[in-house]
C-alpha cells in the first residue's frame, strides 16, 4: 500500500511512495503523531538528482526489515530539500554542528518537538567504510530513547541553543554604517584586496578552479572575479578565470554532445563528474561564459553559452515556458550510463574517419577512463577544417544515438528562484547576441513566472508543478526572480518586468524583516520551527540576503529612493566580518559590496524603440560586460513608472524628428546628453574604469 506521500507533487517524494517505510511529508499530521505516541522523528532530506539518496533508498528504505524498525520506533518524515530549503538549512546546520560536515542524503533524528539529537548523511545497509549499518544505528537510537532519553533531550537543547548563538554571531553588524564616504571607500578597498588574496591562495594553477577535489564550478565566485576585472582590469584575476573556464569546458564535467554541465567533478582535473545536471548550475554557468565572452570575445566561450542554453531549451523546458529543476546522474540503475561510451560502440556507430577524429579529439581509448567506458573530454581540438567537419559529424551521430538511450530521471517541478537565474541568463544572452530566439524564450519564461508563480499579493510561490504553485516563496525566490525580471526589462524595455521586480524587492523588508542581522529566509507568517533560518553563504547559488542586497542596490539606481540604498547598506553591514573570514564562500556578497561602494552607473535611453538609432545605442550599451551599469529606455513622450527616465526628452534632429538620446549618470551626476552610438561607447569605456 502507498504510504502518506501519495498525495505529494514532488517527484522526489513520489519516488518513495511505495517504500515499506511509513513515510509522512513534513506537516502537522506527522508532528502530531510523534507527540501523541511519544516517538522520536526520523527526518530524511534529499532531492531527486541525488545519487546517494537513491543508493540509500535501494539499500535501506525498500528493505522490509529496516522498514519494520523505522515503523515500530520512529515517525518517519521524508523531505525534498528543493521544496523546503528552510528545513534543509536548519537541520544541515545541526548535523554540521554534530559531525563537522554535511551533505545529502541528510538523516536526522529529532524529538517530537523537532529538536535534533543525532544525525549524519549516508548510512550503508551493512557495516562498511568504517561506518555502522543503518539498522545498527536505528536499534541503538531506539534503545537510547527508551533508556537514556534525558541525555538525548539535554543534547538537543544545547544544540538548538548553539545554533541560535552561531546564527547571531554570523550576522553581527560591523561598524560600516555611519562611516564617511572616504572612510568607507578606504575600508572597502582594503576588504576586497584581502578577499582577492584569499581567493587566489586557494586557486589551482594546474587544473583551474579553487580548492581540491571534489571540485565544484563556483559560478558565483567567477562572476565576482569577472566584475573585478571589468571595473579594473587585473591580468592575474583574468588568468584564474580563463584557466578555470577553459578547463571546465574541455573536461568531462561538460557534456560535449548535448551541452550543459554536470554537478561537480570527483577529481582535480574536471574529468570524472557526478553526472546529475542542475538548472541552477547551468543557468549561472551560461551567464559566466557569456560575461567572459563579452570581456574577451573568445568564440569558444560563446559556443559554451549557446550549447548550454540550447540544452535547457531542448531538455529542461516546460511547454508553458518555465524550466525544470534537474536530471539524475543515474539511468538503468547505473551512474553515468547515459553519457559514457565504450570504444567499440563508437567504432560500430561511425565511419572510420569520423571515429578516428572523435577518438583523437576526445581521448577515447579501448580501456576507457571511467569503469571501462569513456567520458568524452577535449584533449586535441581539430587542427584544420577537414578535421572539424569530421568531428562535427561524429558528435551529431553519437548525439542521435544517445537520444535513443533510456534517459536519466528528470525532476519536473519548477522552482521560482532557479527560474529567475535561467531568465537572467537568457535575457543577458538575448541582449549580448541580439538573438530573437533567446529573447522569445526569455519573454515566455518571464510570462510563466508572472502568471503561475507571482501571486496577486505581490509575493511568489516557491514551486509549481502540475498546474499549481505550492509553498510560500522564500527570500531567495523574491530576490532572484527580481534579478531575472530586471535583466528581462533591460532586454525589452517593457516596464511590466520592471514593475514585477520593483514590487518583489520592495516587499522584502515587510515579508522578511531583519532582526539583529540580515533578512530572514522565511516570511513572518511562516510556520514556527525550532529556528528561523537565515542562510548566508553563496554556494552553490547566491543566498537570499546577498541577492536581495544587490537587487535593492539596483532598485535604488532606478528609483533614486534612499530607502533602498539604506537597505543595501544595512544588509551588507551584517556580513563584513564573514567576508574577511571566508571570501570564497561569500562571493555574491562581495559583488554586492563592490558595486555598492563603487556606485552604479545609470544609462537612460530615449528614442523610438524600433528605430535604427535606438537599436544602435542599445547594442552599444549591451556589447561589453558592465556589472555596474543599469539600463532603462522608452519612446519619446512615453509614460514611465521609472524615475530614472522621468523628465528625459529625446534631442531634436534636422526636420524636427526626435533623435535617440542617452544620459549616462553615476549617483545623480550625469554627463551631457549623447546622441551618437560611437560617442556613447567611448563614454561607457572611459567611465567604466573611473
Amino acid at each position: 500500500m502507498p504510504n502518506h506521500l501519495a498525495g505529494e507533487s514532488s517527484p522526489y517524494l513520489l519516488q518513495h511512495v511505495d517504500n515499506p517505510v511509513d513515510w509522512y511529508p513534513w506537516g502537522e499530521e506527522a508532528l502530531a503523531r510523534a507527540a501523541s505516541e511519544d516517538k522520536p522523528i526520523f527526518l530524511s532530506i534529499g532531492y531527486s538528482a541525488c545519487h546517494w539518496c537513491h543508493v540509500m533508498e535501494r539499500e535501506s528504505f525498500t528493505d522490509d526489515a529496516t522498514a519494520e524498525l523505522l515503523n515500530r520506533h520512529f515517525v518517519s518524515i521524508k523531505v525534498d530539500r528543493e521544496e523546503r530549503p528552510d528545513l534543509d538549512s536548519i537541520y544541515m546546520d545541526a548535523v554540521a554542528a554534530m559531525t563537522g560536515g554535511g551533505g545529502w542524503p541528510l538523516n536526522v533524528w529529532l524529538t517530537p518537538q523537532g529538536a535534533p539529537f543525532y544525525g549524519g548523511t549516508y548510512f550503508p545497509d551493512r557495516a562498511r567504510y568504517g561506518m555502522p549499518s543503518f539498522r545498527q544505528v536505528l536499534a541503538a537510537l531506539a534503545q537510547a530513547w527508551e533508556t537514556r532519553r534525558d541525555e538525548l533531550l539535554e543534547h538537543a537543547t544545547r544544540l538548538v541553543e548553539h545554533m541560535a548563538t552561531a546564527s547571531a554571531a554570523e550576522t553581527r553588524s560591523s561598524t560600516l554604517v555611519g562611516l564617511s564616504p572616504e572612510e568607507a571607500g578606504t575600508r572597502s578597498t582594503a576588504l576586497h584586496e584581502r578577499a582577492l588574496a584569499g581567493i587566489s591562495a586557494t586557486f589551482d594553477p594546474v587544473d583551474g578552479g579553487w580548492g581540491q577535489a571534489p571540485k565544484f564550478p563556483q559560478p558565483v565566485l567567477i562572476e565576482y572575479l569577472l566584475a573585478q576585472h571589468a571595473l579594473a582590469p587585473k591580468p592575474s584575476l583574468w588568468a584564474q578565470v580563463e584557466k578555470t573556464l577553459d578547463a571546465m569546458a574541455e573536461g568531462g564535467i561538460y557534456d560535449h554532445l548535448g551541452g550543459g554541465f554536470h554537478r561537480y567533478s570527483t577529481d582535480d582535473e574536471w574529468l570524472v563528474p557526478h553526472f546529475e545536471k542542475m538548472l541552477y548550475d547551468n543557468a549561472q554557468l551560461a551567464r559566466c561564459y557569456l560575461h567572459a565572452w563579452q570581456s574577451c570575445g573568445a568564440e569558444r566561450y560563446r559556443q559554451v553559452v549557446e550549447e548550454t542554453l540550447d540544452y535547457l531549451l531542448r531538455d529542461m523546458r516546460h511547454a508553458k515556458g518555465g524550466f525544470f529543476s534537474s536530471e539524475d546522474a543515474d539511468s538503468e540503475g547505473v551512474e553515468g550510463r547515459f553519457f559514457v561510451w565504450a570504444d567499440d560502440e563508437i567504432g560500430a556507430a561511425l565511419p572510420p574517419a569520423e571515429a578516428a577524429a572523435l577518438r583523437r579529439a576526445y581521448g577515447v581509448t579501448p580501456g576507457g577512463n571511467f569503469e571501462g567506458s569513456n567520458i568524452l573530454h577535449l584533449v586535441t581540438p581539430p587542427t584544420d577544417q577537414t578535421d572539424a567537419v569530421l568531428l562535427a559529424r561524429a558528435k551529431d551521430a553519437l548525439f542521435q544515438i544517445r537520444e535513443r538511450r533510456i534517459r536519466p530521471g528528470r525532476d519536473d517541478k519548477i522552482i521560482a528562484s532557479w527560474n529567475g537565474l535561467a531568465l537572467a541568463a537568457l535575457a543577458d544572452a538575448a541582449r549580448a547576441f541580439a538573438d530573437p530566439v533567446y529573447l522569445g524564450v526569455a519573454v515566455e519564461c518571464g510570462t510563466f513566472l508572472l502568471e503561475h508563480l507571482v501571486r496577486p499579493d505581490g509575493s511568489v510561490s516557491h514551486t509549481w508543478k502540475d498546474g499549481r504553485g505550492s509553498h510560500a516563496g522564500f527570500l531567495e525566490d523574491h530576490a532572484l526572480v527580481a534579478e531575472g525580471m530586471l535583466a528581462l526589462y533591460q532586454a525589452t524595455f517593457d516596464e511590466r518586468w520592471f514593475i514585477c521586480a520593483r514590487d518583489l524587492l520592495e516587499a522584502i523588508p515587510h515579508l522578511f524583516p531583519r532582526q539583529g542581522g540580515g533578512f530572514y529566509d522565511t516570511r513572518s507568517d511562516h510556520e514556527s520551527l525550532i529556528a528561523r533560518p537565515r542562510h548566508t553563504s553563496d554556494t552553490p547559488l547566491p543566498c537570499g540576503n546577498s541577492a536581495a542586497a544587490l537587487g535593492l542596490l539596483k532598485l535604488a539606481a532606478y528609483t533614486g529612493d534612499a530607502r533602498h540604498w539604506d537597505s543595501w547598506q544595512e544588509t551588507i553591514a551584517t556580513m563584513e566580518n564573514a567576508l574577511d573570514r571566508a571570501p570564497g564562500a561569500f562571493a555574491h556578497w562581495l559583488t554586492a559590496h563592490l558595486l555598492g561602494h563603487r556606485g552604479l552607473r545609470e544609462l537612460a535611453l530615449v528614442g523610438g524603440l524600433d528605430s535604427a538609432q535606438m537599436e544602435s545605442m542599445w547594442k552599444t550599451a549591451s556589447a561589453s560586460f558592465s556589472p555596474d551599469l543599469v539600463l532603462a529606455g522608452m519612446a519619446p513622450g512615453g509614460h514611465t513608472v521609472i524615475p530614472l527616465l522621468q523628465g528625459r526628452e529625446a534631442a531634436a534632429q534636422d526636420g524636427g524628428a526626435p533623435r535617440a538620446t542617452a544620459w549616462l549618470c553615476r549617483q545623480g551626476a550625469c554627463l551631457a546628453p549623447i546622441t551618437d552610438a560611437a560617442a556613447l561607447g567611448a563614454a561607457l569605456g572611459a567611465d567604466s574604469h573611473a
Side-chain angles (χ1 to χ4, degrees):
M1 294 291 293
N3 51 43
H4 297 81
L5 301 179
E8 296 299 301
S9 62
S10 161
Y12 176 67
L13 297 187
L14 292 175
Q15 289 167 5
H16 295 77
V17 74
D18 293 319
N19 292 168
V21 178
D22 189 19
W23 292 115
Y24 284 81
W26 181 275
E28 185 58 38
E29 183 180 4
L31 300 177
R33 182 185 165 194
S36 66
E37 297 182 8
D38 195 27
K39 286 183 176 179
I41 294 167
F42 169 59
L43 175 64
S44 182
I45 302 176
Y47 59 102
S48 181
C50 167
H51 170 71
W52 287 101
C53 299
H54 297 314
V55 171
M56 193 162 179
E57 183 197 10
R58 289 195 301 267
E59 291 179 348
S60 295
F61 300 149
T62 60
D63 178 69
D64 289 332
T66 304
E68 195 277 330
L69 274 173
L70 281 168
N71 297 340
R72 186 188 340 151
H73 297 292
F74 305 93
V75 174
S76 298
I77 297 177
K78 176 59 75 172
V79 165
D80 181 343
R81 68 173 288 257
E82 295 168 358
E83 279 195 333
R84 294 300 302 266
D86 54 333
L87 295 172
D88 182 61
S89 177
I90 291 169
Y91 292 110
M92 184 65 76
D93 286 348
V95 169
M98 285 186 275
T99 69
W104 299 277
L106 184 68
N107 295 299
V108 199
W109 285 262
L110 320 175
T111 70
Q113 293 72 40
F117 60 83
Y118 187 79
T121 54
Y122 165 75
F123 292 95
D125 58 335
R126 293 177 289 107
R128 58 181 182 271
Y129 313 132
M131 301 169 63
S133 74
F134 186 52
R135 274 189 277 177
Q136 287 174 320
V137 172
L138 293 175
L141 290 174
Q143 183 179 33
W145 185 255
E146 292 299 322
T147 62
R148 296 186 292 112
R149 185 178 306 189
D150 288 347
E151 294 178 30
L152 299 183
L153 295 177
E154 182 181 356
H155 177 64
T157 299
R158 289 200 308 268
L159 182 58
V160 171
E161 291 172 350
H162 167 77
M163 291 165 61
T165 302
S167 176
E170 180 75 357
T171 57
R172 183 175 58 249
S173 290
S174 71
T175 57
L176 175 67
V177 178
L179 294 178
S180 70
E182 294 77 14
E183 291 171 323
T186 300
R187 179 169 175 157
S188 174
T189 299
L191 184 150
H192 287 281
E193 288 176 350
R194 293 192 300 272
L196 292 173
I199 291 168
S200 297
T202 66
F203 177 67
D204 179 351
V206 176
D207 297 307
W210 295 267
Q212 298 175 330
K215 276 188 178 174
F216 291 79
Q218 301 192 54
V220 183
L221 176 55
I222 294 170
E223 286 285 9
Y224 169 60
L225 297 182
L226 283 167
Q228 281 276 11
H229 181 71
L231 300 178
K234 300 174 177 66
S236 62
L237 293 187
W238 177 254
Q240 292 183 42
V241 171
E242 184 177 40
K243 178 68 176 180
T244 302
L245 293 180
D246 286 347
M248 291 193 301
E250 293 168 2
I253 194 174
Y254 186 65
D255 182 354
H256 292 271
L257 297 184
F261 290 85
H262 300 294
R263 180 69 192 92
Y264 63 85
S265 175
T266 62
D267 59 89
D268 286 321
E269 300 174 6
W270 306 101
L271 174 61
V272 180
H274 192 46
F275 288 91
E276 65 199 61
K277 285 184 174 181
M278 311 299 295
L279 174 61
Y280 60 74
D281 283 324
N282 284 287
Q284 292 182 99
L285 287 169
R287 212 176 183 197
C288 284
Y289 280 88
L290 174 69
H291 294 161
W293 174 78
Q294 289 179 298
S295 300
C296 72
E299 281 303 305
R300 65 187 185 279
Y301 295 155
R302 177 168 181 155
Q303 179 181 347
V304 171
V305 176
E306 292 174 339
E307 290 177 351
T308 301
L309 292 179
D310 290 350
Y311 155 68
L312 295 182
L313 269 60
R314 183 186 67 243
D315 294 336
M316 297 290 282
R317 188 173 176 229
H318 190 282
K320 292 182 179 292
F323 289 88
F324 303 129
S325 299
S326 63
E327 289 190 302
D328 289 358
D330 302 6
S331 57
E332 302 179 71
V334 179
E335 183 178 11
R337 172 70 186 91
F338 183 76
F339 298 100
V340 300
W341 296 87
D343 181 65
D344 56 2
E345 286 183 285
I346 292 171
L350 301 175
E354 292 178 12
L358 189 123
R359 289 185 176 109
R360 185 167 54 251
Y362 289 113
V364 175
T365 64
N369 52 30
F370 179 72
E371 299 178 357
S373 293
N374 289 273
I375 299 169
L376 301 185
H377 64 296
L378 188 60
V379 176
T380 306
T383 56
D384 54 40
Q385 185 61 28
T386 300
D387 205 28
V389 169
L390 288 171
L391 183 60
R393 289 176 182 167
K395 289 173 63 177
D396 183 64
L398 290 190
F399 175 76
Q400 297 304 325
I401 293 171
R402 197 179 79 174
E403 286 293 279
R404 297 193 289 272
R405 291 177 173 177
I406 297 173
R407 295 192 66 88
R410 183 175 65 191
D411 188 329
D412 61 353
K413 69 176 177 292
I414 293 172
I415 298 176
S417 55
W418 301 5
N419 272 258
L421 293 170
L423 176 57
L426 286 160
D428 279 4
R431 275 183 66 196
F433 299 156
D435 189 306
V437 173
Y438 291 147
L439 183 60
V441 173
V443 169
E444 289 182 11
C445 181
T447 302
F448 175 87
L449 290 169
L450 272 182
E451 293 181 350
H452 299 288
L453 282 159
V454 177
R455 297 174 171 181
D457 65 357
S459 65
V460 295
S461 296
H462 177 57
T463 62
W464 183 94
K465 188 176 183 298
D466 298 334
R468 61 186 175 95
S470 60
H471 304 290
F474 299 96
L475 175 62
E476 68 178 38
D477 294 308
H478 277 252
L480 293 176
V481 170
E483 170 71 13
M485 291 293 180
L486 285 178
L488 184 55
Y489 166 70
Q490 294 182 110
T492 61
F493 294 150
D494 183 338
E495 292 195 4
R496 62 178 166 151
W497 312 122
F498 173 83
I499 291 169
C500 178
R502 179 199 65 192
D503 292 349
L504 290 173
L505 291 167
E506 289 187 340
I508 285 174
H510 307 291
L511 292 176
F512 309 93
R514 71 178 88 246
Q515 183 178 348
F519 298 113
Y520 286 106
D521 292 338
T522 55
R523 292 170 47 139
S524 297
D525 57 359
H526 195 74
E527 70 175 291
S528 179
L529 302 170
I530 63 164
R532 191 172 179 191
R534 187 156 45 194
H535 185 64
T536 56
S537 65
D538 284 325
T539 53
L541 66 164
C543 73
N545 263 287
S546 63
L550 187 54
L552 289 163
L553 180 67
K554 292 179 180 179
L555 190 60
Y558 276 111
T559 64
D561 192 328
R563 293 176 305 157
H564 306 318
W565 167 265
D566 292 342
S567 195
W568 164 82
Q569 190 176 53
E570 291 165 7
T571 306
I572 285 292
T574 66
M575 290 299 294
E576 275 208 325
N577 297 321
L579 303 189
D580 255 343
R581 187 176 66 253
F586 301 100
H588 200 66
W589 285 104
L590 286 166
T591 301
H593 190 282
L594 173 71
L595 297 181
H597 280 286
R598 178 184 174 83
L600 295 182
R601 296 181 294 165
E602 307 111 22
L603 179 60
L605 301 178
V606 179
L609 296 184
D610 296 326
S611 71
Q613 293 173 333
M614 188 69 160
E615 182 180 8
S616 182
M617 291 276 204
W618 177 81
K619 285 184 176 180
T620 297
S622 303
S624 299
F625 176 47
S626 303
D628 62 334
L629 184 70
V630 297
L631 177 64
M634 69 174 185
H639 171 74
T640 180
V641 300
I642 302 176
L644 177 59
L645 291 170
Q646 291 167 0
R648 312 285 190 187
E649 295 293 339
Q653 60 181 346
D654 294 342
R659 182 178 182 85
T661 305
W663 287 263
L664 180 61
C665 313
R666 188 192 293 274
Q667 296 177 320
C670 301
L671 301 178
I674 300 169
T675 58
D676 177 75
L680 175 60
L684 287 169
D687 189 58
S688 65
H689 301 148

